Amino acid sequence: MRLNRILAFVWGWLLIVVFVVGSVHTMALNEDFYIQRYEKMNLAKSLHVSQDDLNKSIELLLDYIRDDTDSLEDTITINGYTQNTFNEREKSHMVDVKALYQNAIGVGKASFVCLLVILFYLAITQKKKTVAYLTKGLLQASVCLIMVFVFFGIWIGIDFTGFWTWFHTIFFSNNLWLLNPATDFMINMLPETIFYQLVLSCVLMVCVLIIPCIVFSIYYQRKRAPIGFEYEDHIS
């Protein structure tokens, strides 16, 4: 039935959304991801701060995004002078970042619930053909995902700065994200190189999650799915 094919395609996209949100959550909010790169880049020395202060700063940011704390108040010592870690502009920007992350988590949870609803519906109505529908839908959704990955992959490879600027203009309604390295510590502790590696790590994790599903779907469609299963029922 046409409805079943549509639901299966939507199910495939919902699974992809869950994988993307899960990957961002796992990588972007992992303190070790940043601390390892800080040490490799010797960033603390170049910023004239201690490694402990630098690590403490990223931990504070991530705690705030996770909603484990509602304050970004703290101090840091730069070149021997103690100052607030983040100024008012940086704090205001982090309010937007936190809202974006919390909304993304909400989308991920809603997608997971809808994914289960479609799964149960097809399991009840299609019984033995459920896996055939779902694997077909996932493959169709994956074709779209591959095209998205190719487009953005070429863009990121050629001009990550342009991509990162576009990302901010799409997801933020103000210009608070335009920080000044001379006055804003946040942009110095999070250089573009780290975000570039973060984006690649998230994409890699999505691939690690989705590729086994694609391989299984191809196998099932070729070896196990009933021939013409989509057309056995009357077209609705």
Side-chain angles (χ1 to χ4, degrees):
M1 294 175 64
R2 184 176 302 157
L3 175 61
N4 294 331
R5 296 199 297 273
I6 293 174
L7 288 176
F9 178 73
V10 171
W11 185 90
W13 265 113
L14 291 172
L15 183 63
I16 290 171
V17 170
V18 170
F19 284 165
V20 170
V21 173
S23 297
V24 171
H25 170 75
T26 300
M27 300 305 303
L29 269 69
N30 180 3
E31 290 93 345
D32 291 339
F33 175 88
Y34 302 93
I35 292 173
Q36 289 173 5
R37 282 153 184 81
Y38 288 162
E39 293 174 351
K40 185 177 297 185
M41 297 167 63
N42 202 16
L43 188 61
K45 183 177 181 180
S46 65
L47 296 180
H48 307 288
V49 301
S50 69
Q51 188 67 52
D52 287 342
D53 270 358
L54 185 57
N55 294 350
K56 182 180 65 173
S57 299
I58 189 62
E59 289 167 359
L60 176 62
L61 272 186
L62 299 183
D63 284 343
Y64 181 78
I65 295 173
R66 282 190 293 255
D67 207 21
D68 290 339
T69 180
D70 57 2
S71 173
L72 285 171
E73 293 295 335
D74 203 356
T75 59
I76 190 171
T77 301
I78 303 178
N79 269 328
Y81 295 94
T82 300
Q83 65 179 55
N84 290 330
T85 306
F86 305 115
N87 59 38
E88 292 306 315
R89 183 182 183 89
E90 293 168 306
K91 293 174 185 176
S92 297
H93 175 52
M94 287 309 299
V95 171
D96 296 335
V97 173
K98 181 177 183 176
L100 177 63
Y101 170 76
Q102 296 297 336
N103 288 336
I105 292 298
V107 169
K109 291 179 178 179
S111 297
F112 184 71
V113 171
C114 293
L115 181 153
L116 292 179
V117 170
I118 293 175
L119 174 62
F120 288 135
Y121 170 80
L122 290 177
I124 292 171
T125 60
Q126 299 304 311
K127 298 179 174 61
K128 293 183 179 180
K129 292 188 289 183
T130 300
V131 179
Y133 272 109
L134 294 180
T135 52
K136 183 68 173 290
L138 178 59
L139 288 175
Q140 293 170 335
S142 297
V143 170
C144 300
L145 177 67
I146 291 171
M147 291 189 290
V148 171
F149 271 7
V150 169
F151 174 77
F152 283 105
I154 293 174
W155 188 3
I156 290 171
I158 295 175
D159 180 20
F160 180 77
T161 299
F163 163 79
W164 201 235
T165 300
W166 169 84
F167 174 88
H168 283 76
T169 57
I170 290 296
F171 288 102
F172 298 107
S173 59
N174 52 53
N175 64 356
L176 292 173
W177 57 274
L178 292 171
L179 301 178
N180 183 353
T183 58
D184 305 323
F185 180 66
M186 186 179 296
I187 195 172
N188 293 319
M189 65 178 282
L190 291 170
E192 189 174 280
T193 300
I194 287 183
F195 282 118
Y196 176 75
Q197 295 178 12
L198 177 61
V199 170
L200 292 185
S201 297
C202 290
V203 170
L204 179 60
M205 187 169 185
V206 171
C207 291
V208 169
L209 293 171
I210 197 68
I211 287 176
C213 298
I214 293 175
V215 171
F216 172 77
S217 296
I218 292 173
Y219 163 78
Y220 195 90
Q221 286 295 312
R222 287 188 172 185
K223 303 294 185 180
R224 304 291 298 276
I227 296 176
F229 70 91
E230 296 174 290
Y231 307 101
E232 292 179 358
D233 302 312
H234 295 293
I235 301 298
S236 59

